[in-house]
Amino acid sequence: MKLTYWILALLITLGVGHIAAQASTEADLEDAAALSSREFAGQAMCGPHATAVWTDDKSLECLRNLP
């Protein structure tokens, strides 16, 4: 009977760990997509001859590249 409880506890632990790993992977993908979107928006606003620098979540500065 004790063996059954140990096996059940092991399966529950592994299941919860798997769910947590899935959530972590999804969060990493969302973060990567947000950074990619921010880079694209900065390049679109500043143009090819400037570097986009985000000072906070909503503020963008365009720094001109000198030749």
Side-chain angles (χ1 to χ4, degrees), residues 24-49:
S24 175
T25 302
E26 289 174 10
D28 290 342
L29 290 174
E30 288 176 4
D31 287 345
L35 289 175
S36 177
S37 174
R38 178 176 280 211
E39 289 177 21
F40 177 78
Q43 189 65 35
M45 294 299 296
C46 294
H49 302 294

Side-chain angles (χ1 to χ4, degrees), residues 1-64:
M1 192 66 154
K2 283 186 177 183
L3 180 62
T4 304
Y5 290 133
W6 280 106
I7 292 174
L8 182 60
L10 177 65
L11 290 175
I12 290 172
T13 302
L14 290 175
V16 169
H18 178 72
I19 291 169
Q22 289 285 84
S24 175
T25 302
E26 289 174 10
D28 290 342
L29 290 174
E30 288 176 4
D31 287 345
L35 289 175
S36 177
S37 174
R38 178 176 280 211
E39 289 177 21
F40 177 78
Q43 189 65 35
M45 294 299 296
C46 294
H49 302 294
T51 301
V53 177
W54 291 90
T55 56
D56 61 29
D57 286 342
K58 297 179 183 176
S59 301
L60 173 69
E61 288 184 27
C62 296
L63 304 177
R64 212 173 351 161

